[in-house]
Amino acid sequence: ISMPSLYYQKQFLCIKHIEETIGIANLPYNLQPVARLRFQHPDWSNKQIADTLGVSTGVVGNYFLKIKRLVQ
């Protein structure tokens, strides 16, 4: 497994845990689109998610950090 795919897999597992416990729909509104895209497309890069949402990769990375903190 390459480093980026392992990184995205960890993001996916965080979001899968959220979906199985509280549900993506119960995340803060601004985090829901990035969480849904990662859940639906675990193989996409953060750049692909950022391009789809029309935001920077920095915004996507920041949102994933916020999601990760919710899981911990």
Side-chain angles (χ1 to χ4, degrees):
I1 295 177
S2 69
M3 187 58 92
S5 65
L6 182 60
Y7 178 71
Y8 303 142
Q9 183 181 25
K10 287 180 180 181
Q11 291 175 347
F12 174 79
L13 291 174
C14 281
I15 293 164
K16 183 178 178 197
H17 175 75
I18 288 169
E19 180 60 23
E20 292 172 347
T21 54
I22 65 166
I24 292 172
N26 290 309
L27 285 173
Y29 183 75
N30 63 327
L31 302 179
Q32 292 177 26
V34 74
R36 281 195 186 94
L37 282 174
R38 173 59 71 218
F39 193 69
Q40 294 167 349
H41 305 283
D43 57 323
W44 277 17
S45 68
N46 280 4
K47 179 165 179 10
Q48 288 171 292
I49 291 174
D51 290 348
T52 301
L53 296 175
V55 297
S56 71
T57 55
V59 169
V60 170
N62 188 37
Y63 285 176
F64 280 127
L65 281 174
K66 290 179 180 183
I67 289 168
K68 183 179 173 184
R69 287 184 190 128
L70 292 173
V71 172
Q72 293 175 340

